[in-house]
Amino acid sequence: MKNYKDRDKKHLWHPLTQHGLNPDHMPLVSARGSYLYDEEGNSYIDGISSWYTCMYGHCNPTITSRVKQQLDQLDQIVFSGFTHPPAIELSEKLVEILPSGINKIFFSDNGSTSVDVAIKMALQYHFNRGEKRNKIVAFENAFHGDTFGAMSVSGLSVYNGPFEDFLLEIERIPVPNDHNIGEVESRLKTILQEEEVAAFIFEPLVQGAAAMHMYPARHLDVLMNLVRSHGTLAIADEVMTGFGKTGRNFACDYLDEGPDIICLSKSLTAGIAPMALTCCTQNVFDAFYDKVVSKGFFHGHTYSANPLACAAAIAGMDLLATDAIQDSIQRVSARHLEFEAEVREHPMVRSTRSLGVIFALDLKLETERYGNLRDRLYKFFMDEGVFLRPLGNTIYLLPPFTISTEELTDLYTSVLNCLEMLNND
Ligand SMILES: *Cc1c(COP(=O)(O)O)cnc(C)c1O
C-alpha cells in the first residue's frame, strides 16, 4: 500500500506550511547526485542542494560509506563526561580551516540552536566578566532561524505576531551598501555608545532568506571593527554560507576582521544528519573557564556531537579539501558569471548577482499583478524537471558542487524558459 500523498495528510504536519492552502506534498522516494526522484521515476535537478545541505550530491558514496563504517563502531554516547574520536577529529580538521583565532567548538543540532547558543554565549560572556549587557544588534531582513533566540534576531519573520512580546531586545541596523555605509556606521556608533550591546550578529556577505541579498566585505569590516572596539562580540552566522559556497571555505575569509563566534550547520554534515556548531575564540571560552561551577556554560542537547553526524562532517570536509571539489566550485562559479552576463540584458530581468556557487536574479515585474507568482514559478520549474524555490521576485540557484556542466546547463535553460514564459504573458 503506497498511496503516500493520502497517508501523508492523515498525520503529518509540515514545516512552514499552511495546510489549508497547500494540503498536498509530493512524495520523493530516492535521490542520487544532483537528482531527486519521485515514485514514477521522474527526476528533478536539485537546484538548491536541498536547502544548501547536499553540496557533494545526494547519497555521495564517499560520505555514506564513512557513515556506515561509523554506524558499526559507535552509534551514540553522552557527550558530557565522554568524548569520542569522530568529535575530536572533526574539531581538529575544522580549526585548521576556520578563520584564525577561532579554536573552540560547541555542538548542537541545527542552525537555529547554533544561533541560540551563540546568543547565550555572548550574554554570559559579559555576565561572567561582571558586565550586564542586554542588547543584540542585528541587520534588517536578517534570517537566523526559528527558535526563540534566533527568531528574535531575525528581521524577516513576518509571522512573529503571537511571539512578539516574548522576544529578546534587538537593535536593528540597515544592511550596508555603497550609498548608506556612512549612515549605518554612525547609527551603529550611537547604539554602541547609548546601549549595553552584548553582540552584533550577521550573515556575512549573503543574506540567504532575504532572496540572496549580497553586500560587500569592506562594509562589514567597518562595522565589525567598530563593534569590537566597544568590546561587543561579533557573531558570524555562516549556517548558509559556510563550507565553500561563496568560493572560499567561509564568507568570513573575505574579511580583514575576524569574528568572535561562528555558527555552522546545513552543509556541515553534507546533508546526512542534523548537526550544528557554535565555534568561538579562546578569549570567549576563557570567560567561562573557572573553578566556580556556575560560570560554566550550562547548555546541552541529548544528541550533541552524535558520532554518525561527526563522521559525515569529517567526510564532507575531506571532500571539500580535494582538488576535484575545489575545481568544481571554480567551474560552477565561472559558469554562473557567464550566465549572469547572458541574462542580465533580458527584458524580464531587473538585476543579477552571484558569489561562488550562489546565483540570483530579480525579475522585472510587479509581484502584485502576478498574484501567486511563487507557486506558479515553482510549478513551472518542477514541470521542467528542476527543483527551485523562487523567493518573491527572485529566482536563485545554489547547486551541489558536484553538478555536471550538462546538468548546470539544464538549470540555466529552465531559467531562460521561465523568463520567456513570463515575457510571453
Ligand atoms: C537555515 C538558516 C538558519 C536556521 O537553520 P535551521 O537548521 O533551519 O534551524 C540560521 N541561519 C541561517 C543563515 C540560515 O540560512
Side-chain angles (χ1 to χ4, degrees):
M1 195 191 55
K2 285 200 175 161
N3 204 10
Y4 292 132
K5 256 190 197 158
D6 291 336
R7 284 162 64 196
D8 172 274
K9 268 183 228 160
K10 217 161 166 190
H11 302 299
L12 293 177
W13 188 343
H14 288 264
L16 309 171
T17 299
Q18 172 49 273
H19 283 258
L21 292 171
N22 296 297
D24 287 318
H25 287 80
M26 177 179 176
L28 292 175
V29 294
S30 66
R32 180 80 34 160
S34 307
Y35 289 97
L36 311 171
Y37 297 95
D38 67 15
E39 284 174 282
E40 282 95 52
N42 299 314
S43 64
Y44 307 88
I45 299 180
D46 188 350
I48 61 164
S49 308
S50 289
W51 266 340
Y52 337 133
T53 57
C54 303
M55 298 310 296
Y56 311 96
H58 288 271
C59 300
N60 183 311
T62 306
I63 294 168
T64 54
S65 70
R66 292 280 281 276
V67 175
K68 283 174 194 166
Q69 265 176 23
Q70 184 59 43
L71 189 52
D72 287 327
Q73 188 72 34
L74 177 68
D75 50 358
Q76 159 73 5
I77 58 161
V78 171
F79 203 59
S80 303
F82 293 120
T83 191
H84 54 74
I88 294 165
E89 197 186 328
L90 166 60
S91 70
E92 291 167 350
K93 284 195 189 270
L94 194 58
V95 166
E96 252 176 58
I97 59 168
L98 280 171
S100 71
I102 304 280
N103 77 342
K104 290 285 174 186
I105 314 288
F106 189 92
F107 286 90
S108 66
D109 301 338
N110 57 71
S112 306
T113 55
S114 76
V115 168
D116 274 31
V117 165
I119 292 170
K120 286 177 72 174
M121 243 180 215
L123 293 172
Q124 191 178 341
Y125 166 86
H126 297 292
F127 184 90
N128 280 0
R129 292 155 53 104
E131 278 188 68
K132 192 159 172 18
R133 297 198 183 206
N134 57 356
K135 284 266 163 56
I136 315 274
V137 173
F139 279 137
E140 287 167 4
N141 293 329
F143 178 75
H144 297 289
D146 287 337
T147 53
F148 261 89
M151 185 168 59
S152 298
V153 283
S154 296
L156 259 186
S157 313
V158 271
Y159 308 115
N160 273 354
F163 319 115
E164 249 151 37
D165 293 347
F166 308 99
L167 300 179
L168 301 172
E169 291 183 42
I170 309 299
E171 289 287 347
R172 231 166 263 294
I173 57 172
V175 179
N177 56 44
D178 290 350
H179 305 292
N180 73 359
I181 177 65
E183 284 163 53
V184 177
E185 194 184 346
S186 63
R187 167 104 184 93
L188 179 60
K189 217 175 257 174
T190 310
I191 295 170
L192 291 168
Q193 278 160 4
E194 292 177 357
E195 316 267 5
E196 302 298 330
V197 182
F200 166 45
I201 186 167
F202 50 88
E203 298 153 271
L205 308 199
V206 189
Q207 294 183 298
M212 299 297 162
H213 179 79
M214 296 181 189
Y215 64 98
R218 63 181 184 281
H219 296 330
L220 184 54
D221 268 327
V222 169
L223 304 182
M224 282 171 77
N225 182 279
L226 195 54
V227 154
R228 303 192 70 202
S229 68
H230 281 77
T232 294
L233 298 180
I235 304 174
D237 177 353
E238 293 231 24
V239 169
M240 196 281 286
T241 49
F243 300 102
K245 299 191 194 80
T246 62
R248 302 208 186 157
N249 284 338
F250 300 99
C252 283
D253 294 343
Y254 288 91
L255 299 170
D256 294 330
E257 295 287 328
D260 300 281
I261 300 178
I262 293 193
C263 302
L264 301 170
S265 188
K266 291 209 163 105
S267 67
L268 165 67
T269 60
I272 299 280
M275 186 168 79
L277 304 173
T278 305
C279 316
C280 69
T281 58
Q282 188 70 39
N283 174 49
V284 171
F285 180 81
D286 286 347
F288 294 75
Y289 189 86
D290 206 287
K291 302 284 181 219
V292 179
V293 177
S294 65
K295 285 209 166 175
F297 191 48
F298 284 85
H299 183 108
H301 297 283
T302 311
Y303 276 90
S304 287
N306 171 259
L308 304 175
C310 289
I314 294 165
M317 265 189 288
D318 284 351
L319 275 182
L320 182 63
T322 60
D323 287 344
I325 291 295
Q326 288 299 319
D327 290 349
S328 277
I329 292 174
Q330 296 314 316
R331 173 179 53 89
V332 174
S333 309
R335 280 294 287 128
H336 275 354
L337 289 173
E338 286 168 25
F339 182 59
E340 197 180 355
E342 186 185 339
V343 288
R344 191 177 284 140
E345 304 306 327
H346 192 286
M348 297 310 293
V349 174
R350 186 186 306 279
S351 57
T352 59
R353 55 198 168 275
S354 73
L355 180 67
V357 301
I358 309 168
F359 168 86
L361 68 80
D362 298 329
L363 295 167
K364 198 188 280 176
L365 36 84
E366 306 102 58
T367 333
E368 308 83 58
R369 232 195 78 207
Y370 285 81
N372 213 335
L373 178 71
R374 192 210 150 274
D375 287 359
R376 190 171 157 212
L377 294 183
Y378 181 83
K379 188 171 176 324
F380 176 87
F381 285 119
M382 286 303 273
D383 289 344
E384 292 252 317
V386 166
F387 169 54
L388 293 178
R389 283 180 63 99
L391 273 166
N393 263 344
T394 305
I395 297 173
Y396 70 92
L397 309 175
L398 207 164
F401 302 144
T402 48
I403 192 167
S404 73
T405 302
E406 296 73 37
E407 290 159 357
L408 196 51
T409 302
D410 289 346
L411 270 184
Y412 297 144
T413 304
S414 286
V415 172
L416 289 171
N417 291 345
C418 175
L419 295 176
E420 279 315 297
M421 181 267 295
L422 292 169
N423 204 16
N424 293 330
D425 252 8

